């Protein structure tokens, strides 16, 4: 029995030793639990947005109005979804306290599979072969990314220069998206704009949250940490608005697909370039990151074109198609 116990302990030590930081083994399940909450939260919030649109007899593709936002607060399904999203965020933030950003963020891709199954059951639009291939590309690319990150990710001290760089980039991103939406996108925007905008903003939210958590852990909570919190709140507010509008123009699993790919890719780029979380990664690992990211992005773009609910909704739009032209029956 003693011999068996020693062998089991040796195996466990070897498994933990695969990762550079054993705390990662705590962060991973927390991130996965957060992905489950995010899946159900997205489904319930999408349901709430759809009900508000029907009741107000107005489409939200140009941006939800103030009245529609107030109505959302009175929808039990939307509020329930908000609570679940809050739990998902809490799990994600806790995971960030144990594991590097470039490992925690991509694990949210698991929510895409769950949301797809939920939406298929609720909407009646079963996934097609093309949409399934797109989802496999999304999740597969992200899982390859996570596998590489688990072996090479290391946390580095964050300098004031790095932090100011992140905040400066966030200011630029917020201004660009706000002006783009106000002057052009609110009249011409497609779901991909809202999804991409929300994903990029949420990547900064995760990054700033990671910075604040690290500063609290090290006892270094100063004026820069306060700026991070303010920037985080601005990004959360604008990102949440874009997400709710995305729910009004696209199915929840499409929204989640964009968020779980764009968010981690942007966060990972920040982690790689600015925070140096892959400083020990070799050339092959960096190439692997690039290939995996390209596969995941391809999956999102493909899903926007092949999602069964999107195709079904487009067929209901009142415009004349080639096969329906007057001369086509001759």
């Amino acid at each position: 029995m003693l011999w068996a116990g020693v062998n089991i302990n040796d195996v466990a030590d070897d498994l933990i030793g695969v990762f550079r930081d054993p705390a990662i083994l705590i962060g991973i399940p927390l991130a996965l639990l957060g992905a489950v909450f995010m899946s159900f939260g997205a489904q319930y919030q999408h349901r709430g947005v759809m009900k508000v649109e029907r009741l107000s007899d107005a489409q939200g593709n140009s941006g939800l109005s103030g009245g529609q936002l107030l109505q959302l607060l009175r929808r039990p399904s939307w509020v329930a979804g908000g609570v679940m999203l809050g739990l998902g965020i809490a799990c994600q933030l806790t995971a960030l306290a144990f594991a590097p950003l470039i490992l925690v963020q991509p694990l949210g891709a698991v929510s895409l599979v769950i949301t797809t199954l939920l939406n298929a059951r609720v909407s009646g639009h079963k996934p097609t072969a093309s949409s399934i291939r797109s989802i496999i590309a999304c999740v597969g690319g992200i899982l390859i990314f996570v596998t590489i990150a688990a072996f090479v990710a290391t946390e580095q001290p964050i300098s004031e220069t790095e932090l100011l760089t992140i905040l400066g980039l966030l200011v630029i991103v917020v201004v660009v998206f706000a002006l783009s939406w106000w002057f052009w996108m609110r009249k011409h925007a497609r779901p991909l704009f809202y999804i991409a905008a929300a994903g990029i903003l949420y990547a900064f939210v995760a990054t700033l949250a990671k910075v604040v958590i690290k500063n609290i852990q090290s006892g270094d909570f100063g004026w820069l940490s306060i700026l991070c919190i303010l920037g985080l709140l601005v990004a959360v507010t604008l990102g949440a608005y874009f997400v709710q509008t995305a729910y009004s123009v696209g199915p929840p699993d499409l929204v989640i697909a964009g968020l779980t790919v764009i968010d981690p890719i942007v966060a990972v780029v920040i982690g790689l370039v600015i925070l140096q979380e892959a400083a020990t990664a070799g050339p092959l690992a960096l190439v692997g990151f690039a290939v995996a990211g390209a596969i995941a992005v391809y999956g999102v773009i493909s899903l926007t074109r092949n999602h069964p609910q999107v195709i079904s909704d487009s067929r209901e739009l009142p415009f004349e198609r080639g096969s329906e032209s007057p001369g086509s029956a001759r």
Side-chain angles (χ1 to χ4, degrees), residues 45 48-50 52-53 56 58-70 72 78 181 186 194 240-249:
Q45 287 212 314
V49 171
M50 291 294 98
V52 165
E53 281 198 339
S56 61
Q59 296 296 316
N61 59 325
S62 61
L64 296 173
S65 66
Q68 287 175 318
L69 292 175
L70 290 176
L72 286 176
W78 188 88
W181 175 80
R186 60 177 176 160
Y194 293 111
Y241 178 77
F242 284 147
V243 166
Q244 299 309 314
T245 304
Y247 285 145
S248 71
V249 294

Side-chain angles (χ1 to χ4, degrees), residues 108-192:
V110 174
S111 62
L112 172 57
V113 178
I114 302 173
T115 308
T116 299
L117 296 175
L118 288 174
N119 189 58
R121 182 170 183 178
V122 171
S123 67
H125 293 91
K126 295 183 179 180
T128 62
S130 297
S131 66
I132 290 174
R133 284 195 296 269
S134 302
I135 292 169
I136 291 174
C138 290
V139 178
I142 290 299
L143 289 181
I144 293 172
F145 205 110
V146 170
T147 303
I148 299 172
F151 287 93
V152 304
T154 56
E155 301 208 60
Q156 306 289 339
I158 303 173
S159 67
E160 289 189 2
T161 301
E162 293 171 342
L163 190 47
L164 289 172
T165 300
I166 295 172
L167 289 171
L169 289 174
L170 175 59
V171 171
I172 294 173
V173 167
V174 168
V175 171
V176 169
F177 280 134
L179 293 179
S180 298
W181 175 80
W182 181 259
F183 289 107
W184 189 71
M185 289 297 183
R186 60 177 176 160
K187 294 182 179 179
H188 304 90
R190 296 179 180 274
L192 193 57

Side-chain angles (χ1 to χ4, degrees), residues 72-98:
L72 286 176
L73 295 175
R74 296 195 291 268
R75 299 304 312 174
S77 58
W78 188 88
V79 173
V83 172
M84 293 179 188
L85 290 177
L87 291 172
I89 292 171
C91 289
Q92 184 184 49
L93 293 179
T94 306
L96 286 172
F98 292 97

Side-chain angles (χ1 to χ4, degrees), residues 23-38 87-99 104 107-108:
I24 288 176
L25 298 180
I26 300 176
I28 289 176
L30 284 172
L32 293 175
L33 179 60
V36 174
F37 282 125
M38 295 291 283
L87 291 172
I89 292 171
C91 289
Q92 184 184 49
L93 293 179
T94 306
L96 286 172
F98 292 97
V104 170
L107 288 173

